[in-house]
Amino acid sequence: MQEELKQHRNQCYTCMRPVSTCVCKHIKPLQTNTRFVILMHPKEYKKQKNGTGHMTNLQLDNAEIIVGVDFNKHQRVNEILADQNNASFLLYPGKQSFNLSTSNDTEMNDFMGQRPYLFILDGTWPCARKMLKLSTNLQQLKRVSFDNTIKSKFIIKQQPESLCLSTIESVYTVLNLLKTGGLENCDTGKFLVPFEKMIEYQLDYMLNPDSKNYSKTASKEIAPKFQYKKKTQRSTILES
């Protein structure tokens, strides 16, 4: 019991990280026209310390997190979808998705409007695919996607492919594309700083010989990763 209380006392209840590696001083919430609804898989919710969905929510004033797997009968989700004043979209790749990377400002405005709701599935690709498969209400939404031109800096986590980004990196990319299209005017220059600091802290821990996760091969530099899982479900997701 004493050990459990000590653990809680040493945790920041805002960023959900240990006090020694708290990133709150780097959190600078942005005010956006777009409402970001982060649909977080329970498995992702349990690993908030290194998850970027929670950090993304802290970086956005106009955002919320909803935890679950099947959102078909979820009251809050259906409230948003039922509101005639809301134009709701799902950030998810697919052949019929609206590509922000190849659209001009007129096309973006005509498609999304000025104050869209953008749903984001926060979880591994298999978890995200299951969430979408079970949530028939989300299947009806128009999809938004982008062409990824950056490699993920989430080097402490294994991704299926180089084109796969963490939640915070995806939102960062979307915001910059919406800025290009005139739908947003926020300054994203420091949006990824808490994310980068989190990785720095994790690398420091891995480079510490006294830590249980000590790695002689770990690099201090936060650079794009180039090694990924050999098996990928990306093609299946795109076809779905």
Side-chain angles (χ1 to χ4, degrees), residues 4 6 10 18 24-25 30 38 65 78 82 133 142 157 164 171-172 182 185 191 202 218 223 232:
E4 182 179 352
K6 181 180 179 180
N10 292 334
C24 288
K25 65 181 179 181
L30 298 182
I38 303 170
I65 290 177
N78 286 325
K133 182 178 180 180
K142 294 179 180 179
K157 181 179 180 181
C164 296
V171 170
Y172 169 77
N185 57 9
F191 189 75
Q202 188 67 24
T232 174

Side-chain angles (χ1 to χ4, degrees), residues 35 39 70 75 81 96 114 123 153 155 181 189 201 222 233:
R35 177 73 177 181
L39 302 179
D70 182 357
Q75 181 178 351
L81 299 180
Q96 303 301 319
Q114 289 297 315
K153 292 184 178 180
I155 56 177
Y201 293 142
I222 302 179
Q233 298 190 29

Side-chain angles (χ1 to χ4, degrees), residues 4-156:
E4 182 179 352
L5 290 174
K6 181 180 179 180
Q7 180 182 0
H8 284 298
R9 282 197 299 266
N10 292 334
Q11 184 182 40
C12 172
Y13 289 102
T14 300
C15 68
M16 305 306 292
R17 294 190 56 76
V19 172
S20 59
T21 60
C22 173
V23 297
C24 288
K25 65 181 179 181
H26 304 292
I27 298 291
K28 307 294 181 183
L30 298 182
Q31 181 60 51
T32 61
N33 296 322
T34 306
R35 177 73 177 181
F36 290 90
V37 185
I38 303 170
L39 302 179
M40 185 178 291
H41 193 280
K43 289 183 178 179
E44 200 69 24
Y45 180 78
K46 292 179 180 179
K47 54 181 180 182
Q48 283 188 349
K49 185 176 72 172
N50 288 331
T52 67
H54 181 65
M55 187 177 294
T56 305
N57 184 57
L58 292 176
Q59 282 287 71
L60 298 167
D61 281 333
N62 198 12
E64 62 184 292
I65 290 177
I66 302 175
V67 180
V69 179
D70 182 357
F71 298 96
N72 198 41
K73 296 182 179 180
H74 194 284
Q75 181 178 351
R76 173 56 182 157
V77 172
N78 286 325
E79 282 178 359
I80 297 172
L81 299 180
D83 191 335
Q84 297 298 318
N85 295 318
N86 299 335
S88 298
F89 305 90
L90 178 67
L91 182 64
Y92 202 84
K95 292 180 179 179
Q96 303 301 319
S97 65
F98 181 82
N99 193 330
L100 295 174
S101 301
T102 58
S103 303
N104 58 41
D105 53 352
T106 301
E107 292 170 336
M108 284 190 196
N109 275 275
D110 290 344
F111 183 77
M112 301 187 68
Q114 289 297 315
R115 297 184 181 277
Y117 273 68
L118 188 58
F119 285 84
I120 300 172
L121 300 178
D122 184 40
T124 62
W125 278 111
C127 287
R129 187 172 57 151
K130 182 177 181 180
M131 293 161 75
L132 184 57
K133 182 178 180 180
L134 294 175
S135 307
T136 55
N137 51 351
L138 299 180
Q139 295 173 20
Q140 309 305 316
L141 294 178
K142 294 179 180 179
R143 297 185 186 181
V144 173
S145 65
F146 57 85
D147 294 335
N148 182 18
T149 58
I150 66 174
K151 288 183 178 293
S152 176
K153 292 184 178 180
F154 209 173
I155 56 177
I156 60 175

